[in-house]
Amino acid sequence: MAIVEAMKSLCFPVEVCRLFHLIAVFCLVSFLIKTVKLFRRRWEMMTALKLFPGPPTHWLFGHVSEFPQDGTDLDKTVIWTKQFPFAHPLWFGPFTVFLSINHPDYAKTILTTTAEPKDDMVYQFITPWIGDGLLVSAGQKWFRHRRLLTPGFHYDVLKTYVRLVAESTKIMLDKWEQIYTKESHTLELYQQISLMTLDSILKCAFSYCGNCQIESDSSYIKAVYELCFLANQRFRTFPYHSDLIYYLSPHGYRFRKACGLAHHHTEEVIRQRKEMLKNEKELEKIKDKRYLDFLDILLCARDEDGKGLSDEEIRAEVDTFMFEGHDTTASGISWLLYCLAQHPEHQQKCREEIQELLESHKQIEWELLSKMPYITMCIKESLRLCPPVPGISRRLTKPLTFFDGRKAPEGCLVGVSIYCIHRNPMVWDNPEVFDPLRFSTENSTSRHTHAFIPFSAGPRNCIGQHFAMNEMKVAVAMILNRFELEIDESKPPIKIPQLVLRSKNGIHLKIKKLQ
Ligand code: HEM
Ligand SMILES: *[C@@H]1O[C@H](CO)[C@@H](O)[C@H](O)[C@H]1NC(C)=O
């Protein structure tokens, strides 16, 4: 009303004052209606989830204050898993609740039913960045694109990638050798490995040789870090759940800026490949289906009417694969190296395995990847304890009944805590212990199908999982063949979930060159 008074004193005509008056009343009323709706929804959800007791919660902030992002967040969820071994509600602000799942049987129910859409906030918040690509899209569009892109991960295609990943790893290790002779022995690995996995995905999926490791151009990686950080922060700060408030906030501005940077990078990659395909020879090469890389599939895709994908659709997929294809594996490899540094006896066994293989082969090749049982077990055990994607979520389009008869209501957000399932004491003996032998053939057979789901499961599982496993094998084998890793007790990592599992202070290890 103060505005109206001020207008009057500025001698606006009466009609204009009335108009402003009306607008003010309208805004107030719609705000009130919206608030009433939100509270009603809150009450409905609380009633519907009564059967799921959970940790105490604050009426306004929910459980957010239990997650101070200081490295204890995930430990806390594991403590709750012991109290509520199947599922419990988790509130983020007064109006947003997830039913957080900690048990394989519950996970199986949600991951095997029809592909529920991912239109919850976590995915919504990153959509301005990765668009409506495979990770986020739903229904017919998702189905069509998944079918279109699956050949890009055919085993014949993956075969050709082994050499490319080995090349990227070699560049990184040569760099480490230089650093090693110059500086102290402690190295922050996460950044180095991110550059390496970015280099790999660029070469493999996009036929793009950016030399990003040598030029150390990490602007894209920094943008990805910023985007993950901001998306996570937005999720934790409930007023930011409103698009308008976020848009006007300084963090919203930072998000748009980082988005712009990331898009600039992907557009450049697409442009270069289009340019290259104007060359006859390149075009000949991709006619041979075996060399069709991921980007070529997108550029050449035609539906029944001969219509291709729009530029926007292509960029969404490129943004999705660029992010998913490098950040997850960087997390996987970094935490794996950390686990092996903590357990020198397992590290040594892996090293012996690779040294033996390399006696008869000059370098890592496709055929060798199936001959690394011990390394494979260590990778899996590290994916169990430090899953690069610690949790995923869905919105239910219809009520879902779990095996014990409890029901989650329609419209409910369901989070699957991969991290907690992997440490649930109902499923794993001594869950905190790093023990690769859990994954020996003998020990794996009796396990629940959904006890170990680093790549999720069911129709929306990870399309890149074989690519990822291969990349991790090549990288860790080559690293262990040249370096010994030791933990740096003065800089323990601080685990934080930010879409992917990161360390707030990086991952610092002492590296020693092998003779
Ligand atoms: C260790 C490495 C990786 C882990 C742990 C991982 C994990 C996952 C998980 C848990 C999901 C399910 C996400 C959800 O339901 O919201 C997923 C989906 C996906 N991943 Fe991965 N991923 C890895 C590497 C990769 C790589 C290398 C690529 C690409 C080259 C990739 C591309 C994708 C895509 C496109 C989806 C969405 C699939 C769909 O919904 O149809 N991932 N990943
Ligand atoms: C199975 O796991 C146990 C405990 O981790 C281990 O002692 C045993 O050797 C494993 N068995 C095999 C055949 O790997």
Side-chain angles (χ1 to χ4, degrees):
M1 300 312 123
I3 299 177
V4 179
E5 291 302 320
M7 296 281 172
K8 270 187 193 152
S9 68
L10 285 173
C11 305
F12 273 100
V14 175
E15 290 77 24
V16 176
C17 287
R18 277 237 177 88
L19 186 65
F20 275 105
H21 200 139
L22 271 177
I23 291 175
V25 169
F26 177 77
C27 288
L28 193 72
V29 170
S30 30
F31 176 77
L32 280 177
I33 293 178
K34 175 118 186 153
T35 312
V36 168
K37 269 192 186 156
L38 282 171
F39 272 102
R40 207 182 67 191
R41 174 119 192 98
R42 172 185 161 90
W43 185 80
E44 277 171 10
M45 274 299 159
M46 283 173 78
T47 320
L49 292 177
K50 269 231 172 78
L51 281 175
F52 297 94
T57 173
H58 185 277
W59 73 272
L60 183 61
F61 300 112
H63 294 98
V64 171
S65 50
E66 302 275 353
F67 301 126
Q69 302 261 292
D70 60 355
T72 61
D73 301 17
L74 289 164
D75 299 339
K76 197 157 291 159
T77 61
V78 172
I79 294 173
W80 291 336
T81 301
K82 289 177 192 151
Q83 287 173 292
F84 312 102
F86 293 99
H88 61 77
L90 267 189
W91 287 87
F92 292 86
F95 306 120
T96 306
V97 61
F98 281 81
L99 182 65
S100 179
I101 288 181
N102 303 320
H103 192 275
D105 267 318
Y106 266 56
K108 189 174 171 184
T109 307
I110 174 99
L111 294 176
T112 48
T113 49
T114 54
E116 297 284 359
K118 301 189 188 173
D119 63 344
D120 68 46
M121 291 187 308
V122 190
Y123 299 97
Q124 261 164 31
F125 292 168
I126 56 172
T127 305
W129 162 31
I130 60 173
D132 200 16
L134 201 58
L135 183 66
V136 192
S137 60
Q140 274 301 309
K141 178 168 181 186
W142 166 76
F143 187 76
R144 222 173 46 128
H145 283 209
R146 176 97 186 192
R147 209 175 45 184
L148 178 71
L149 289 170
T150 297
F153 293 89
H154 188 275
Y155 145 122
D156 277 336
V157 180
L158 292 185
K159 240 180 187 171
T160 63
Y161 291 166
V162 173
R163 191 179 50 81
L164 298 174
V165 173
E167 233 174 69
S168 299
T169 311
K170 184 172 178 307
I171 296 175
M172 177 178 77
L173 295 179
D174 290 345
K175 246 177 27 181
W176 286 10
E177 257 179 42
Q178 282 175 2
I179 298 172
Y180 174 77
T181 49
K182 269 191 263 162
E183 290 170 40
S184 77
H185 305 182
T186 295
L187 199 63
E188 198 289 294
L189 294 173
Y190 204 107
Q191 171 80 6
Q192 303 264 334
I193 294 185
S194 299
L195 278 170
M196 186 280 281
T197 54
L198 179 62
D199 193 16
S200 299
I201 196 76
L202 283 170
K203 282 181 190 150
C204 296
F206 306 108
S207 305
Y208 180 88
C209 296
N211 269 339
C212 69
Q213 292 199 78
I214 292 169
E215 290 153 17
S216 206
D217 172 22
S218 50
S219 58
Y220 171 73
I221 287 179
K222 289 203 185 104
V224 168
Y225 184 90
E226 171 97 338
L227 289 164
C228 291
F229 168 82
L230 289 170
N232 183 53
Q233 182 212 40
R234 179 171 180 192
F235 181 67
R236 295 161 49 83
T237 315
F238 74 87
Y240 279 175
H241 294 181
S242 145
D243 284 336
L244 182 68
I245 295 178
Y246 195 64
Y247 186 88
L248 298 173
S249 73
H251 291 118
Y253 174 76
R254 263 170 65 186
F255 189 87
R256 288 194 296 281
K257 206 169 138 204
C259 245
L261 259 169
H263 288 162
H264 177 73
H265 178 254
T266 41
E267 272 157 11
E268 180 58 22
V269 170
I270 298 171
R271 193 193 58 76
Q272 272 209 20
R273 186 65 189 158
K274 275 186 174 166
E275 197 70 26
M276 249 164 96
L277 288 182
K278 286 187 187 151
N279 180 329
E280 295 281 321
K281 265 213 203 110
E282 269 312 294
L283 208 59
E284 277 304 306
K285 213 162 103 192
I286 68 165
K287 288 217 178 102
D288 180 356
K289 281 253 189 299
R290 267 177 310 168
Y291 294 102
L292 209 57
D293 75 22
F294 166 84
L295 181 52
D296 299 337
I297 293 179
L298 291 172
L299 293 173
C300 303
R302 295 288 176 271
D303 61 16
E304 297 83 50
D305 318 328
K307 217 171 106 254
L309 298 177
S310 72
D311 282 356
E312 194 189 332
E313 284 176 314
I314 292 177
R315 205 198 57 200
E317 296 301 355
V318 171
D319 275 314
T320 299
F321 279 78
M322 194 90 75
F323 161 54
E324 269 283 322
H326 96 275
D327 212 9
T328 48
T329 51
S331 167
I333 296 169
S334 303
W335 287 106
L336 168 63
L337 295 181
Y338 179 71
C339 289
L340 291 176
Q342 281 183 308
H343 301 279
E345 68 285 10
H346 297 305
Q347 184 184 147
Q348 188 51 29
K349 278 202 182 147
C350 290
R351 184 171 295 115
E352 281 159 17
E353 187 171 81
I354 185 64
Q355 282 171 342
E356 198 171 307
L357 286 177
L358 287 181
E359 270 169 21
S360 50
H361 291 74
K362 275 222 315 279
Q363 57 184 9
I364 307 276
E365 282 155 20
W366 167 262
E367 292 73 36
L368 297 186
L369 298 187
S370 55
K371 295 180 185 153
M372 305 179 180
Y374 205 80
I375 290 180
T376 308
M377 290 193 294
C378 286
I379 293 177
K380 287 185 180 168
E381 179 65 344
S382 148
L383 289 174
R384 178 182 74 83
L385 280 171
C386 305
V389 179
I392 57 179
S393 52
R394 299 286 186 274
R395 180 186 292 278
L396 297 184
T397 50
K398 48 184 182 306
L400 191 65
T401 312
F402 298 104
F403 77 94
D404 55 6
R406 289 194 287 182
K407 215 185 247 179
E410 181 193 330
C412 183
L413 298 174
V414 177
V416 178
S417 175
I418 296 176
Y419 192 89
C420 290
I421 290 174
H422 286 178
R423 290 178 188 238
N424 189 328
M426 284 177 87
V427 186
W428 302 93
D429 297 330
N430 304 318
E432 306 293 326
V433 178
F434 183 87
D435 177 10
L437 287 178
R438 296 175 200 275
F439 290 99
S440 69
T441 330
E442 293 84 345
N443 278 343
S444 301
T445 43
S446 58
R447 191 167 300 133
H448 193 293
T449 49
H450 287 64
F452 178 64
I453 47 167
F455 297 107
S456 183
R460 294 212 71 163
N461 66 357
C462 177
I463 198 174
Q465 56 185 299
H466 299 295
F467 178 97
M469 282 304 285
N470 293 347
E471 177 167 40
M472 287 196 281
K473 285 182 194 176
V474 172
V476 74
M478 288 178 68
I479 293 168
L480 295 182
N481 191 43
R482 279 173 69 175
F483 290 93
E484 217 172 277
L485 309 167
E486 237 180 85
I487 53 169
D488 180 346
E489 265 148 20
S490 66
K491 290 177 185 147
I494 300 170
K495 238 183 235 169
I496 43 167
Q498 271 182 5
L499 301 182
V500 297
L501 186 67
R502 297 184 194 282
S503 164
K504 201 172 179 178
N505 56 342
I507 292 188
H508 297 266
L509 294 181
K510 291 184 194 159
I511 59 167
K512 201 159 104 194
K513 191 172 163 1
L514 290 165
Q515 290 316 314

